[in-house]
Amino acid sequence: MKITRNASAHWAGTGKEGKGHLTTGSTVLNETQYSFNTRFADGVGTNPEELVAAAHAGCFAMKLAFNIQGAGFAADSLDVRCDITLEDSGITSSKLTLKASVPGLDQAKFDELVEDAEKNCPISKLLNTSISVDATLA
């Protein structure tokens, strides 16, 4: 199965003083503001790194849910935070922090399923960076 999703960016002005907006095909983001300040300071709006972090956290959580289901379990909750680091004009790391509640799942199997999700969620495969996961099973 092939799925294509899209988003668009509009930018006007210089890199530092300009401003733009982002829109996704689903319109969940609809002319959502972004600028130098939302990326490198504390402006109101979003930024590419925040969107990559959301994509990686969501992708990882869904892949892990499928892994857990395939092992015969169901998660009560999978809470994932992703921290994307931008330095020297490049994304240098993606750190996933997971807090999971999966009744009946033992630590060894949990670790195996997490490792597979880390390596095989589509966003992990897309990123050419160091990816790490800090996972806790409650």
Side-chain angles (χ1 to χ4, degrees), residues 59-83:
C59 185
F60 173 82
M62 187 176 284
K63 175 64 175 156
L64 182 55
F66 276 110
N67 288 356
I68 290 167
Q69 178 183 0
F73 299 91
D76 282 347
S77 64
L78 301 174
D79 295 306
V80 183
R81 175 186 168 122
C82 179
D83 292 288

Side-chain angles (χ1 to χ4, degrees), residues 83-105:
D83 292 288
I84 293 291
T85 301
L86 173 68
E87 61 185 341
D88 301 326
S89 299
I91 293 175
T92 57
S93 69
S94 178
K95 180 178 181 186
L96 298 165
T97 302
L98 165 67
K99 290 187 171 101
S101 176
V102 186
L105 184 61

